[in-house]
Amino acid sequence: MFKVKELASYFPNGRGATQDSIIIREVMTDTRVQKKQSLFVPLVGENHDAHRFLMEAIKMGAVAALWQEDHELPKEIPTEFPVFFVEDTLRALQETSSFYLRKVNPVVIGITGSNGKTTTKDLTASVLQVKYRTHKTAGNFNNHVGMPLTILSMPLDTEVAVLEMGMSQAGEISLLSKLAQPRHVMITNIGESHIEYLGSREGIAKAKLEILDGWKQGSFIYDGDEKLLGEYHQTPHAFACGFHSSSDVVIRDITLEENRSLFTIGKDQYELSMSGKHNVKNAAYVVTLAKEMGLTVKEIQTGLKHLQMSGMRFEKHTGLNGALIINDAYNASPTSMKATIEIILELNSKSKKILILGDMFELGAHADQLHKEVATAITKEITAVYTIGEHAAQIIEGLNERNLDIETKHFKDKDSLSHHVQKQLNSDTVVLLKASRGMKLEVMLNDLLVE
């Protein structure tokens, strides 16, 4: 990655062999994982302080360290071991990632949005790697700690870095954008996630638009069907993608099948190896970006067909008695929950459709109402709706008001819920698990899947 002496110009206050040409190959923040020739960065959190693990870090392969100057350096540390004293190790981690990003100098793609940013990140990397050496955010390493670590895990020959930018508070996307300075940016949509902290969808839109704070005037690709982003229709280098004819990039002739979607942009038809209208729009963002970056239609099509998706996002499993279990429990918001239910409704191979829906977090005072509104996406084609959590019962409340002939039941624990569902599984059944990550619905897979 770089040599120890390269850090000295950024962090001049140090001791030991800080001017030596010691090679750094990795960055270590967790001393439980061996990383040879690594730079140790001890982070301080609410409930932990990694400074006390410096000796363990050295044993696990650290050859240099950043060190917060308000902490006493252990006496047993070898005098020649390079230590750079900094005011704040988190900020120093971010500065190190910024330095490394400039050294590698890839084209940076920044992606944010209330829903779909991880799927869009995976789609983007899948398509762009057909032509470019591409590095992407792993899992959801998308915050003020995760994104710098993503950057610092880039191979030196990376040509394109696809960085997902997440947030919970105003100002967080601005920090990430200024750090990464993306040439191209995307806003997948404006939903209700984090409305507890941002107050309204308008507040959420403003926070997502912070991605423009570090934008380097490549392309700005966004949801053309979102009125809150309408003012950007005339912005230079901006591309509104949507189903409405007023969009710059219009998505037409959509065909949704169980395991794929077909759609047309301009004169070209594309095939996506995923179902769902919302995924088609995510793919349209990627098609637009790829064209801006010089990919042919054939290259784009190749990337769309060979996806590698992050875990727990519409994972399909074989359940007991041949049932289909779909685990989409990585995260949830009202918008994404409705969109996923729509995919289940479009699934023609199974006639018995069971929804297991849990709480969606960070909705604040809007929680009950937004949970209740999920019921509007559920039709009589659904066989049963089972809920779990503090607010998810409102989904059943909304269904009861519509008098649909659907079995509904709220459960207090996962064991009784999974055992209730077990009895109903057969080859004609599909079960959806959907909730915010903190609900940990994936633990129910142990009871629902074939061993």
Side-chain angles (χ1 to χ4, degrees), residues 319-325 352 354 418 420-431 447-449:
L320 298 172
N321 305 319
L324 172 61
I325 312 296
K352 189 175 183 181
I354 297 173
S418 59
H420 182 79
V421 174
Q422 271 182 342
K423 304 169 189 175
Q424 305 178 56
L425 299 182
N426 58 45
S427 59
D428 196 34
T429 304
V430 57
V431 178
D447 296 326
L448 302 180
L449 302 187

Side-chain angles (χ1 to χ4, degrees), residues 268-340:
D268 304 309
Q269 186 184 63
Y270 297 90
E271 178 183 337
L272 174 66
S273 55
M274 302 172 71
S275 189
K277 196 173 179 182
H278 61 299
N279 286 323
V280 167
K281 184 180 283 188
N282 293 335
Y285 302 144
V286 178
V287 169
T288 304
L289 172 68
K291 287 182 176 179
E292 286 292 295
M293 293 184 64
L295 274 74
T296 65
V297 171
K298 185 177 180 180
E299 287 170 330
I300 296 169
Q301 189 61 269
T302 298
L304 290 177
K305 283 184 177 180
H306 299 91
L307 295 177
Q308 290 184 330
M309 301 300 295
S310 298
M312 287 199 289
R313 286 169 171 81
F314 217 77
E315 288 180 350
K316 294 182 178 181
H317 301 275
T318 301
L320 298 172
N321 305 319
L324 172 61
I325 312 296
I326 296 177
N327 177 24
D328 199 41
Y330 189 83
N331 217 335
S333 70
T335 301
S336 67
M337 189 172 281
K338 291 175 189 175
T340 308

Side-chain angles (χ1 to χ4, degrees), residues 341-387:
I341 291 170
E342 287 175 8
I343 296 179
I344 301 301
L345 289 169
E346 293 160 3
L347 201 66
N348 296 321
S349 62
K350 309 289 183 185
S351 64
K352 189 175 183 181
K353 301 178 178 182
I354 297 173
L355 306 180
I356 299 177
L357 307 176
D359 277 2
M360 300 172 285
F361 296 164
E362 297 184 342
L363 299 178
H366 306 269
D368 282 349
Q369 183 59 35
L370 289 172
H371 279 82
K372 193 172 185 179
E373 287 176 7
V374 169
T376 61
I378 300 172
T379 68
K380 57 183 175 59
E381 284 74 27
I382 297 297
T383 308
V385 177
Y386 304 129
T387 58

Side-chain angles (χ1 to χ4, degrees), residues 191-245:
E192 307 85 2
S193 300
H194 312 303
I195 199 169
E196 176 181 5
Y197 307 114
L198 297 167
S200 64
R201 289 186 70 249
E202 288 78 9
I204 294 168
K206 184 178 179 181
K208 299 300 182 187
L209 284 163
E210 291 174 8
I211 199 169
L212 298 177
D213 290 355
W215 178 41
K216 289 302 179 183
Q217 296 293 309
S219 54
F220 169 32
I221 300 166
Y222 64 96
D223 184 356
D225 300 316
E226 175 54 70
K227 293 180 180 178
L228 291 174
L229 301 176
E231 66 181 279
Y232 291 90
H233 274 299
Q234 304 302 319
T235 301
H237 312 295
F239 298 89
C241 300
F243 305 114
H244 196 274
S245 59

